[in-house]
Amino acid sequence: MNPELIKILKLNSECENALIDFPFHDNQITWIQEHHLLFAQTQNINEEITNKELGKNNFIQQFKMLYLTNK
């Protein structure tokens, strides 16, 4: 399997876990602080995603939208 694809799938899974974690935080700021490094990783990965891999990053995109909306 392509190493870039593995990286995207792993990051996508981490974003899914962060999305699941969001409702359990009473304060959105703590969620933002806890997931700041993950957000930074999502910013870097966008340059590596090719059209073929776009369907495999749906949680990455949802995570980024939620992070930016609550920041």
Side-chain angles (χ1 to χ4, degrees):
M1 189 179 283
N2 181 348
E4 290 179 11
L5 181 57
I6 292 171
K7 183 177 178 181
I8 291 168
L9 291 174
K10 182 179 181 290
L11 187 60
N12 196 56
S13 177
E14 291 176 23
C15 288
E16 179 182 15
N17 291 335
L19 289 167
I20 292 168
D21 184 47
F22 181 76
F24 298 102
H25 284 264
D26 293 331
N27 187 346
Q28 295 171 349
I29 298 300
T30 59
W31 184 83
I32 294 290
Q33 291 170 342
E34 288 179 12
H35 295 94
H36 177 73
L37 292 177
L38 180 59
F39 180 74
Q41 291 175 335
T42 64
Q43 293 299 94
N44 294 335
I45 197 82
N46 276 346
E47 298 168 1
E48 299 175 21
I49 296 175
T50 64
N51 289 335
K52 178 181 169 186
E53 297 161 341
L54 280 176
K56 297 179 176 34
N57 74 340
N58 55 336
F59 290 116
I60 295 171
Q61 300 306 318
Q62 290 176 33
F63 169 79
K64 286 176 55 178
M65 187 180 341
L66 184 63
Y67 185 95
L68 291 172
T69 301
N70 289 286
K71 188 169 182 185

